[in-house]
Amino acid sequence: MNATKRLAAEFLGTFWLVLGGCGSAVLAAAFPSLGIGFTGVSLAFGLTVLTMAYAVGHVSGGHFNPAVSLGLVVGGRFPAKDLLGYVIAQVLGGIAAGGVLYLIASGKAGFDVSAGFASNGYAEHSPGGYSLQAALICEIVLTAFFLIVILGATDGRAPAGFAPIAIGLCLTLIHLISIPVTNTSVNPARSTGVALFVGGWAVQQLWLFWIAPLVGAALGGVIYKQVLAKD
């Protein structure tokens, strides 16, 4: 597939993930009387991946996440030479979605981007007040299992055609577990896309939401390749 089309697919897929997932958190999670809550936000993130995996997965592989791209390199499913281009496209897609979401959200009187804007955080910026250590462990472990599910669902031995469903439901489950801990990242592009508009503490804590998902993804790639892949 043409490289430009693959990068465009990653840009669009990541844009949709951030707009759909973070948009549900910013615009709908606590909407008066009809708020969708943590469960709805978790489902929204899962649906973004599921829908775009079917829409453009055949073009780019449907990563939409720098950590996923790295994990697939480590797992032997993606060429390392293409990693940087994918990461740049994903981050740009996340930032573009953050910009569109900011334009929508700021259309309401009283909007305050410093209130969080679906940014990820730890300690006093964790939704549940969880520590740096707790956030680090949570993001590493959940990203590792996300990669194990992705690699397993897309394995040639797995039932054909169902990978996007498994992956989308896995991301939903991850959010159900970890929104109270970090607001759930497992995706550096998702974290960057909103943190840049918040600035301050969100940018200062962004390092964790790059390092932990990348470490977890690499760990998941190693586990699948060494323990679960076909001999």
Side-chain angles (χ1 to χ4, degrees), residues 64-91:
F64 319 141
N65 180 338
V68 169
S69 295
L70 176 64
L72 292 174
V73 169
V74 174
R77 300 279 191 86
F78 186 65
K81 65 180 179 63
D82 293 336
L83 178 60
L84 181 60
Y86 267 51
V87 170
I88 291 172
Q90 292 155 357
V91 172

Side-chain angles (χ1 to χ4, degrees), residues 188-213:
R190 168 263 188 271
S191 299
T192 302
V194 290
L196 293 182
F197 292 89
V198 177
W201 68 265
V203 173
Q204 293 166 11
Q205 295 193 354
L206 186 59
W207 66 269
L208 185 143
F209 302 105
W210 273 87
I211 292 176

